[in-house]
Amino acid sequence: MYHSTSSPRASRSPCEELSGPRRGTSEIGSSASTRNPMADWQMREKRPLRGPRPEPAGPTLKNYITPAGLQRLKDEHVFLLRRERPAVVEVVAWAASNGDRSENADYLYGKRRLGQIDSRIRFLTKRIDAAVVTDPAAARQGAAATRIFFGATVTYEDAAGLEHVVSIVGIDEVDLDRGYISWRSPLANALMKASPGDRVELRAPAKTEHLEIIEVEYAPIPMDPFREPLGAQSTPKVERS
């Protein structure tokens, strides 16, 4: 019988089968073996996140909005900038004077709240600057009075014969409970430029639905005004020692 002079091959675990041949001691200690490409990739990806990234260049998207909707944004902007932010700054300054900030709940919460307020102010400023005001109640001449555009209140019938009423409003004015849909929503895109009697297609990932336009009306669209949120710090009651 033929006998092999080579040493018998040790059995390998399933993990070793997937990871490749076992390395010697000298290889393990080398710089090449300790390099982890995945860790390097993660470090390259995470570093830029430590600082703010600039916004992509390009024109600012128009923010179509009703007069009442724009007024609500402005009222919130004024409230945050002139009342809520100064009040929170006052609380943070008081909390900072009380000692160790690392364990000061008032200070930590105030700083976090201040960051949220500043982020919201920046957002509102951009939305207001990009606003294109369109009054739903403005008079329209000729065919434009019966075609669907921004600000229209539309009655349509779905494939099951049920009637629905929606109003096409700005992104910041959406209220599904009242039938207010964004002008950029799939439903609004399907309805746009149609007139009473037209049939349109609403394309969704699951199916395509056929809708029939029953009525198009341009009338005031009621908007709830801005209300000061519960728990606002705009009237601070800070006990000072």
Side-chain angles (χ1 to χ4, degrees):
M1 180 181 292
Y2 176 76
H3 297 277
S4 171
T5 56
S6 60
S7 59
R9 183 179 180 182
S11 61
R12 301 175 65 189
S13 68
C15 292
E16 290 175 316
E17 292 290 345
L18 293 175
S19 60
R22 187 180 297 174
R23 294 180 177 179
T25 328
S26 59
E27 292 179 64
I28 295 176
S30 66
S31 59
S33 65
T34 57
R35 182 175 178 272
N36 187 338
M38 181 59 70
D40 292 347
W41 175 82
Q42 290 174 339
M43 288 300 294
R44 287 197 299 272
E45 287 297 309
K46 288 181 179 179
R47 271 194 201 103
L49 299 180
R50 296 176 183 174
R53 289 185 174 182
E55 294 187 357
T60 304
L61 292 177
K62 293 181 180 179
N63 177 28
Y64 288 98
I65 193 169
T66 68
L70 179 60
Q71 188 59 51
R72 185 168 62 185
L73 295 185
K74 288 182 175 180
D75 290 345
E76 183 183 358
H77 186 268
V78 169
F79 167 76
L80 292 175
L81 193 61
R82 299 183 183 176
R83 291 182 54 194
E84 184 72 353
R85 192 182 193 283
V88 174
V89 168
E90 185 178 352
V91 172
V92 170
W94 167 79
S97 67
N98 289 336
D100 186 7
R101 300 179 182 180
S102 63
E103 298 182 0
N104 190 328
D106 289 329
Y107 176 81
L108 296 175
Y109 172 79
K111 290 290 289 183
R112 184 165 61 250
R113 175 64 182 144
L114 196 59
Q116 294 170 346
I117 291 172
D118 287 342
S119 176
R120 181 64 179 174
I121 289 174
R122 288 192 298 269
F123 171 80
L124 290 171
T125 300
K126 291 180 181 178
R127 302 299 292 164
I128 292 169
D129 290 345
V132 178
V133 181
T134 302
D135 188 354
R140 288 164 172 79
Q141 302 299 323
T146 57
R147 296 185 70 186
I148 300 173
F149 297 103
F150 180 92
T153 296
V154 184
T155 303
Y156 69 89
E157 185 179 280
D158 62 19
L162 299 176
E163 288 192 358
H164 305 266
V165 179
V166 295
S167 296
I168 301 176
V169 298
I171 297 174
D172 304 301
E173 304 172 293
V174 172
D175 186 344
L176 298 182
D177 291 335
R178 302 172 73 174
Y180 297 175
I181 63 172
S182 164
W183 65 279
R184 299 185 66 184
S185 65
L187 177 55
N189 287 333
L191 298 174
M192 282 292 182
K193 299 184 179 181
S195 300
D198 291 348
R199 292 178 63 85
V200 300
E201 285 187 353
L202 172 59
R203 298 182 180 180
K207 63 176 181 178
T208 298
E209 189 174 0
H210 295 276
L211 313 175
E212 182 177 352
I213 312 303
I214 305 299
E215 184 182 4
V216 178
E217 180 187 14
Y218 286 94
I221 300 175
M223 290 287 169
D224 292 332
F226 170 73
R227 292 184 176 88
E228 183 176 320
L230 295 175
Q233 193 68 41
S234 54
T235 309
K237 296 179 181 178
V238 180
E239 297 179 1
R240 292 179 173 81
S241 56

